[in-house]
Amino acid sequence: MAEAVELEAGGRTVRLSSPGKVFFPEHGYTKLDVARYYQAVAPGILRALRDRPTTLQRYPDGVTGEWFYQKRAPKGMPDWIPTAHITFPSGRSADEMCPTEEAAVLWAAQYGTLTFHPWPVRSDDVDHPDELRIDLDPQPGTDYDDAARAAHELRAVLAEFGGLTGWPKTSGGRGIHVFVPIEPRWTFTQVRRAAIAVGREMERRMPERVTIKWWKEERGERIFIDYNQTARDRTIASAYSVRPRPHAPVSAPLRWDEVGVAHPQDFDITTMPARFAELGDVHAGMDDQAYSLDALLELATKDEHDHGLADLPYPPEYPKMPGEPSRVQPSRAKKPRPQES
């Protein structure tokens, strides 16, 4: 295996050991190939990560080996990479790395990081998200094209309720993520409530194609809007992150006119650098305007008061939340005993 190499980024030198280690056996892509990819898209992924507490999804031996999430800043992390103190739903807390320069991405790649999972907050205010993130997740029997159709309707919903602009990207798999920059005025609970309102409005408009049902047995062949991705400590892969699949796909930012035209298989660590060199970061203007959630929260109030629609279940590892319904899936719920005549 080749000796270590040194990579330059933003005036810093990052040492990459074992550069020839194969991370993607199907195509022979190495650790150095992954690092070179991140060098090529560095301004884009830094835009997505800058000042955000970030969980690292690490594959030290490549996609066929063991992997883990690194939430706490690892020992020995350079002192030029800052951290932010975040609190988990359990009440425990940790210091997570907050990339502020391109070299931090390469440093993480040195330790086998493929995917970066940034929180929707900045380090100066870790309790108030500055992004509303909508995850369009295809269920069995549906595919990316179904997610694309839902995404275009989602675009209309966002525009109607508050004049919001969403920024779409491929998940790197079959799904689509749409991020909306928002003013950091609302708690995680309030942002999640807005996401639920979006999901319910989408259900009304596309009842045969979209669902917000938490239990898989109720979703059917529809696109699931995963509202719980807006809960505290739930994160979504960043734009430009490499995804741990055999062909080394990446989560690709898109223009709206590309949604449904471009497909996830178009974007991997070999094709994205050329696209980036030609177009730059197509989400570069994402932080130019932050939007209000007032209209979506008004919609949530209307759903609750006029239609009797209450809160929805949280993920199983979360503490029970006020007003939350039962977390027992419908098929296992106790049926009411029939009354005696």
Side-chain angles (χ1 to χ4, degrees):
M1 192 169 293
E3 296 180 358
V5 298
E6 292 186 341
L7 303 176
E8 300 296 325
R12 294 192 189 276
T13 301
V14 178
R15 183 178 182 273
L16 195 77
S17 62
S18 303
K21 180 183 285 188
V22 176
F23 272 19
F24 292 89
E26 184 171 297
H27 292 284
Y29 300 148
T30 65
K31 182 179 181 180
L32 180 59
D33 291 327
V34 172
R36 293 289 193 201
Y37 161 75
Y38 278 127
Q39 271 190 310
V41 300
I45 192 167
L46 183 61
R47 188 268 310 155
L49 300 178
R50 190 188 304 276
D51 295 320
R52 297 189 183 282
T54 299
T55 297
L56 308 179
Q57 190 174 358
R58 292 176 55 188
Y59 288 76
D61 295 312
V63 294
T64 58
E66 294 185 1
W67 64 275
F68 59 96
Y69 288 109
Q70 177 97 46
K71 290 192 173 184
R72 288 169 171 78
K75 293 181 179 179
M77 188 175 73
D79 57 12
W80 49 265
I81 301 178
T83 61
H85 194 72
I86 46 91
T87 302
F88 304 115
S90 64
R92 295 193 297 269
S93 61
D95 294 322
E96 287 204 355
M97 71 175 291
C98 290
T100 57
E101 52 185 291
E102 297 171 4
V105 177
L106 294 184
W107 177 86
Q110 148 65 13
Y111 290 94
T113 300
L114 294 184
T115 308
F116 295 82
H117 294 267
W119 281 49
V121 300
R122 306 283 183 172
S123 58
D124 60 353
D125 186 353
V126 295
D127 294 316
H128 296 90
D130 70 342
E131 287 180 347
L132 169 66
R133 298 174 173 180
I134 308 297
D135 182 6
L136 302 176
D137 184 11
Q139 300 303 289
T142 64
D143 58 20
Y144 176 82
D145 290 331
D146 296 303
R149 282 189 286 270
H152 283 292
E153 187 61 42
L154 171 61
R155 186 186 187 190
V157 169
L158 294 173
E160 183 173 335
F161 292 93
L164 310 181
T165 294
W167 298 76
K169 67 182 184 72
T170 67
S171 67
R174 299 188 308 139
I176 293 177
H177 303 149
V178 178
F179 288 7
V180 181
I182 60 174
E183 300 165 2
R185 296 198 283 123
W186 296 276
T187 65
F188 280 92
T189 302
Q190 291 170 313
V191 174
R192 177 180 175 274
R193 186 165 169 255
I196 291 173
V198 169
R200 285 174 168 157
E201 182 64 20
M202 289 287 290
E203 274 188 330
R204 285 188 284 267
R205 298 185 183 203
M206 306 180 74
E208 302 302 318
R209 294 182 177 273
V210 167
T211 183
I212 200 172
K213 298 291 187 184
W214 177 245
W215 303 109
K216 291 183 179 180
E217 65 188 33
E218 296 185 305
R219 294 177 190 171
E221 295 184 359
R222 292 179 285 184
I223 299 298
F224 172 50
I225 297 182
D226 190 354
Y227 62 90
N228 270 330
Q229 291 290 52
T230 52
R232 181 186 287 271
D233 193 33
R234 283 298 183 100
T235 56
I236 293 178
S238 77
Y240 299 104
S241 272
V242 180
R243 306 313 310 271
R245 294 180 174 85
H247 60 293
V250 303
S251 180
L254 301 175
R255 302 185 305 258
W256 275 108
D257 62 2
E258 296 178 300
V259 174
V261 178
H263 282 75
Q265 59 267 30
D266 298 335
F267 309 107
D268 59 33
I269 65 170
T270 65
T271 61
M272 179 57 82
R275 172 181 168 88
F276 195 89
E278 178 184 358
L279 301 178
D281 179 12
V282 297
H283 284 190
M286 185 172 169
D287 295 328
D288 291 350
Q289 181 174 357
Y291 295 92
S292 170
L293 289 180
D294 287 342
L296 285 178
L297 293 174
E298 289 174 8
L299 177 62
T301 298
K302 183 177 180 181
D303 284 341
E304 294 158 3
H305 292 176
D306 296 355
H307 304 293
L309 299 175
D311 197 4
L312 295 174
Y314 273 77
E317 70 273 17
Y318 280 62
K320 186 69 176 178
M321 300 296 287
E324 181 191 357
S326 170
R327 291 186 194 172
V328 179
Q329 65 189 76
S331 62
R332 295 186 178 182
K334 291 182 178 179
K335 303 297 189 291
R337 301 176 70 175
Q339 295 182 349
E340 295 183 3
S341 56

